[in-house]
């Protein structure tokens, strides 16, 4: 099982949702969530070769590069390019958040995910990113398991309190 799919199950459950009207893009994401990163990367690269300005394919490719080979700088460049092409779309910000979380920059990753959540609050990829954030952050009570109900509630509270909206109040 893919780490991404496991993280989604850890947070709220996995829903097999299409991300686009383009079937080849949905198939690439299906391979990514199934854990077949090489095939997903191959499909995303084909989509980028067909249309170099496809920000959805660029963001998916960035996630594949970070997930499979750990080349975070390359993945970050791809994600930044996706953001510059599609500024009003969440895909690039999701990829940028994911790459930063995978690279260990939790605050930057959280900030990009919040931007993505603002642009597309119902996108399941945002939920995946927050699941990764929950998994990367240390548990609130270190003596208890990360999935202990008390740690989950306190972790949600910590995430809620870190929200820029709540800090502004």
């Amino acid at each position: 099982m893919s780490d991404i799919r496991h993280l989604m199950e850890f947070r709220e459950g996995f829903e097999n949702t299409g991300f686009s009207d383009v079937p080849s893009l949905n198939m690439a994401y299906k391979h990514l969530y199934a854990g077949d990163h090489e095939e997903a990367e191959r499909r995303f690269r084909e989509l980028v070769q067909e249309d170099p300005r496809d920000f959805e394919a660029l963001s998916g490719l960035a996630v594949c590069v970070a997930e499979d080979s750990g080349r975070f700088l390359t993945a970050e460049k791809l994600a930044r390019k996706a953001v510059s092409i599609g500024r009003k779309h969440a895909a690039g910000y999701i990829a940028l958040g994911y790459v930063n979380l995978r690279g260990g920059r939790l605050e930057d990753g959280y900030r990009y995910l919040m931007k993505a959540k603002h642009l597309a609050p119902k996108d399941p990829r945002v939920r995946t990113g927050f699941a990764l954030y929950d998994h990367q952050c240390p548990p609130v009570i270190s003596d208890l398991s990360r999935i202990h109900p008390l740690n989950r509630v306190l972790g949600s509270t910590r995430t809620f309190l870190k929200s820029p909206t709540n800090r502004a109040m």
Side-chain angles (χ1 to χ4, degrees):
M1 180 187 295
S2 171
D3 288 340
I4 296 172
R5 188 167 180 182
H6 172 71
L7 289 169
M8 285 183 76
E9 288 174 350
F10 167 74
R11 183 155 174 113
E12 292 179 29
F14 180 74
E15 297 168 5
N16 194 2
T17 309
F19 300 107
S20 172
D21 296 333
V22 181
S24 54
L25 188 63
N26 286 331
M27 187 57 71
Y29 273 111
K30 182 179 178 184
H31 284 287
L32 179 63
Y33 284 127
D36 189 2
H37 301 126
E38 293 85 16
E39 180 64 20
E41 184 174 346
R42 185 186 68 74
R43 288 179 182 261
F44 282 123
R45 285 193 190 280
E46 287 175 1
L47 289 167
V48 169
Q49 284 177 348
E50 289 173 17
D51 182 10
R53 298 198 46 84
D54 183 357
F55 57 87
E56 288 279 351
L58 279 169
S59 63
L61 182 59
V63 171
C64 285
V65 169
E67 182 73 27
D68 190 36
S69 59
R71 296 179 308 188
F72 298 115
L73 289 176
T74 304
E76 186 173 1
K77 287 179 185 176
L78 289 168
R80 287 193 187 281
K81 185 176 179 183
V83 166
S84 69
I85 292 170
R87 285 215 174 273
K88 302 227 185 269
H89 299 279
Y93 292 106
I94 293 167
L96 204 48
Y98 183 83
V99 168
N100 276 291
L101 290 174
R102 275 302 212 198
R105 294 184 289 190
L106 298 180
E107 294 303 317
D108 291 340
Y110 182 79
R111 187 169 38 101
Y112 288 121
L113 288 174
M114 287 304 293
K115 174 72 174 173
K117 185 177 180 182
H118 175 72
L119 293 171
K122 295 186 181 192
D123 192 325
R125 294 172 294 183
V126 174
R127 197 174 68 218
T128 305
F130 282 120
L132 180 62
Y133 177 77
D134 289 346
H135 189 70
Q136 296 281 344
C137 281
V140 178
I141 302 173
S142 59
D143 291 340
L144 295 176
S145 166
R146 180 179 305 283
I147 59 173
H148 189 277
L150 189 57
N151 261 339
R152 292 183 90 167
V153 169
L154 292 174
S156 296
T157 304
R158 173 176 58 189
T159 303
F160 177 78
L161 294 174
K162 281 187 170 184
S163 169
T165 306
N166 293 317
R167 279 192 274 174
M169 289 183 180

